[in-house]
Amino acid sequence: MTLNWDWTGWALWSTSHFWSVTLTVLIIVGILEVFREAQPLLLPVWQRWSAHVFLTILIQLCLNPLRAISGHALAAWATSHQIGLFSLTSLPLGIRCILGILLLDLIHYASHFLYHHSSWLWSFHSIHHNDEDFDWSTGYRFHISESLVTLMIESIGVLIIGLPPESILLFVLLISIQNLVSHADFILPTPLARWLDCIWISPNLHRLHHSDQIPHQQSNYGILLSLWDRLFGTLTPATPSTLVSIRVGLTETHPHPINNPLRLLALPFLRHSHPDPNPDQRPYPQPDSQTS
Ligand SMILES: [Zn+2]
């Protein structure tokens, strides 16, 4: 890797090619899901996909105006006004971009951890986890409130650190690709996964995070890199035997899967409609009774 890389050029390329790259990855993931499907889907895809499309369009319509003044634009403003920790240094752009992407990944790891350990935040994030199936579209099943909170946390991080706008643009493309790949309904072969899991949140590691078992859910919080899970002791290896034995989703919604988008949006605001993230208070099997 060279620090003389044209970071600005690649950042602009990542923006102009965002949709073509994302679509290409979607096609590859789709082909892999057809030929290497991990587990047969339980529900008709149209039921889930239509809900996920609805939630995604809502997020795009409502949050795009906010995104226009956050993310890249906010980072450009902060950099030009010498705001943030990076402005106190004379680090070259290449170092700031690499550190910026790493720190953005850490911010997303930390916020994902919080989503699983705060009752209020879990009420939103549980919408992502109560999908009874796991395929690329699960990556688009988010409550709009979660997307808003994540945007706010990311914006605060951008201002505190003074991230270069190039790192934001590159990170947006990376997580768009990773969102599709990590939710893909296929399992990487063990020898390959063993190596890749050392540095990357593979589909194997993320599938385990979507297990209906609490110890699995409360691990593997990383978005891009497994580094943070290793560092903070939240990594659970995804062994082949575990991956074939788990069921994805939430135990409390197994009997009555929810895929009506309006009901999904209302769920966090309905009393007793979502579980407490505290394992002691959730009607889940305790670790002693795990099968994996
Ligand atoms: Zn989660």
Side-chain angles (χ1 to χ4, degrees):
M1 186 187 326
T2 169
L3 297 179
N4 294 324
W5 209 36
D6 180 10
W7 291 93
T8 306
W10 275 106
L12 293 174
W13 182 91
S14 70
T15 304
S16 57
H17 291 76
F18 177 85
W19 287 111
S20 57
V21 172
T22 302
L23 190 61
T24 304
V25 174
L26 173 60
I27 292 168
I28 294 170
V29 166
I31 292 170
L32 284 168
E33 285 192 350
V34 169
F35 291 104
R36 292 190 59 89
E37 185 184 47
Q39 287 177 338
L41 301 179
L42 299 173
L43 304 174
V45 288
W46 65 266
Q47 235 181 54
R48 296 172 49 253
W49 288 9
S50 58
H52 302 170
V53 166
F54 179 94
L55 294 174
T56 303
I57 290 174
L58 182 72
I59 288 170
Q60 293 296 324
L61 287 177
C62 296
L63 296 190
N64 269 357
L66 275 179
R67 284 188 177 130
I69 56 168
S70 62
H72 166 259
L74 186 65
W77 178 83
T79 304
S80 65
H81 287 78
Q82 301 277 297
I83 291 171
L85 296 173
F86 277 0
S87 68
L88 304 174
T89 72
S90 54
L91 292 171
L93 179 62
I95 297 285
R96 281 185 289 134
C97 278
I98 294 168
L99 286 176
I101 290 170
L102 286 173
L103 290 170
L104 279 167
D105 197 39
L106 175 59
I107 289 169
H108 279 257
Y109 165 87
S111 49
H112 193 186
F113 179 91
L114 289 175
Y115 280 119
H116 279 265
H117 291 270
S118 148
S119 299
W120 180 65
L121 292 175
W122 172 250
S123 70
F124 300 124
H125 189 57
S126 62
I127 305 305
H128 180 60
H129 278 268
N130 70 13
D131 192 354
E132 287 294 303
D133 285 317
F134 184 83
D135 66 6
W136 64 271
S137 76
T138 309
Y140 294 92
R141 183 185 176 105
F142 285 100
H143 196 282
I144 186 171
S145 303
E146 174 173 350
S147 301
L148 179 63
V149 171
T150 302
L151 192 67
M152 288 164 65
I153 292 173
E154 197 180 87
S155 297
I156 293 168
V158 166
L159 288 176
I160 292 174
I161 302 164
L163 293 169
E166 289 85 352
S167 65
I168 308 269
L169 295 178
L170 289 166
F171 187 73
V172 166
L173 181 64
L174 287 174
I175 57 168
S176 171
I177 295 169
Q178 174 68 350
N179 191 39
L180 286 165
V181 177
S182 66
H183 292 99
D185 185 25
F186 63 81
I187 295 174
L188 289 175
T190 307
L192 182 62
R194 194 177 293 139
W195 284 100
L196 292 176
D197 288 358
C198 291
I199 55 165
W200 176 49
I201 293 292
S202 69
N204 296 18
L205 285 179
H206 198 63
R207 172 178 284 272
L208 195 68
H209 176 72
H210 276 262
S211 156
D212 64 2
Q213 304 296 302
I214 293 279
H216 296 156
Q217 278 172 33
Q218 298 198 338
S219 61
N220 303 354
Y221 295 113
I223 304 299
L224 289 178
L225 301 175
S226 56
L227 166 72
W228 312 117
D229 282 296
R230 287 185 189 283
L231 206 59
F232 298 111
T234 54
L235 189 85
T236 299
T239 61
S241 58
T242 307
L243 288 173
V244 295
S245 66
I246 61 168
R247 179 170 176 183
V248 299
L250 298 179
T251 52
E252 55 268 57
T253 48
H254 284 332
H256 304 289
I258 306 167
N259 283 301
N260 180 319
L262 296 179
R263 178 146 174 79
L264 286 171
L265 287 171
L267 216 52
F269 307 103
L270 303 175
R271 289 190 72 191
H272 308 305
S273 65
H274 53 82
D276 194 288
N278 184 339
D280 296 334
Q281 298 173 26
R282 286 173 70 174
Y284 283 15
Q286 293 304 299
D288 285 346
S289 62
Q290 303 302 301
T291 55
S292 52

